[in-house]
Amino acid sequence: MPRGDKSTYTEKQKRQAEHIEESERERGASEGTAERIAWATVNKQDGGGKRSGSARKAAKKAPAKKAAAKKAATKKAATKKSATKKSATKKSATKKSPSKKAAASTAAKKTAAKKAPATKATASSRSAAAKKAAATRARKTAARKTAAKKAARTRSKD
């Protein structure tokens, strides 16, 4: 697909761009500038071309820039947190006796139980996409915790 190709845009998006372009021309902008502003506005509103149905999945590969930036920032923060947790886990695994480990896991479960009701209350006000994303994050977190526990067990056996 060559640069500037508008085939992935819906008819509605094309009409919007045309209307914006006309408005910019009336305000005195050159034709090129008006077109550039029109398509930039449509892209900012919708995040790029949107084809309906299965074509949309193939056409829309990358999310909007804001979403990508937000995702990268979240990933960075998660990486920092997991790095500190890993180092803390390694230190604590070598220092703690089995009874202290049990006490620590009980304390962790209690704090997790305290946090759970708060997220349940806010879940009703979220959009479906936000709920889905939260569920995915929760599953991934649970999978990481399970893997970490399994790894700790195998290390302690060796």
Side-chain angles (χ1 to χ4, degrees):
M1 181 182 312
R3 195 171 182 157
D5 182 31
K6 306 294 185 222
S7 65
T8 58
Y9 291 88
T10 62
E11 293 303 314
K12 181 179 177 182
Q13 288 175 314
K14 290 176 184 176
R15 287 192 309 272
Q16 284 175 331
E18 188 177 324
H19 178 73
I20 294 166
E21 187 176 349
E22 288 172 10
S23 298
E24 288 299 319
R25 289 289 292 145
E26 288 174 8
R27 294 176 73 188
S30 67
E31 192 164 329
T33 303
E35 184 179 4
R36 182 180 52 79
I37 290 170
W39 286 108
T41 304
V42 170
N43 285 337
K44 183 163 183 153
Q45 289 172 347
D46 297 331
K50 288 184 177 178
R51 281 284 184 206
S52 61
S54 62
R56 180 177 180 186
K57 292 175 188 161
K60 186 138 172 125
K61 292 179 183 174
K65 286 184 181 180
K66 281 186 180 178
K70 196 173 191 180
K71 198 176 207 181
T74 306
K75 193 173 185 180
K76 224 180 219 183
T79 307
K80 285 181 182 177
K81 285 181 184 177
S82 64
T84 55
K85 284 183 182 178
K86 284 179 185 176
S87 62
T89 306
K90 284 181 182 179
K91 289 177 186 175
S92 63
T94 56
K95 292 181 182 178
K96 291 182 181 178
S97 65
S99 61
K100 288 182 181 178
K101 284 183 186 177
S105 66
T106 307
K109 286 179 185 175
K110 285 180 182 177
T111 56
K114 287 179 184 176
K115 289 180 183 178
T119 51
K120 295 281 184 189
T122 58
S124 62
S125 63
R126 289 193 212 157
S127 68
K131 288 177 185 177
K132 188 175 180 181
T136 304
R137 279 194 305 275
R139 279 195 306 274
K140 286 184 177 180
T141 304
R144 280 194 297 269
K145 285 182 180 178
T146 306
K149 286 179 183 177
K150 188 175 182 181
R153 281 194 301 259
T154 55
R155 280 195 301 266
S156 65
K157 287 181 183 177
D158 292 340

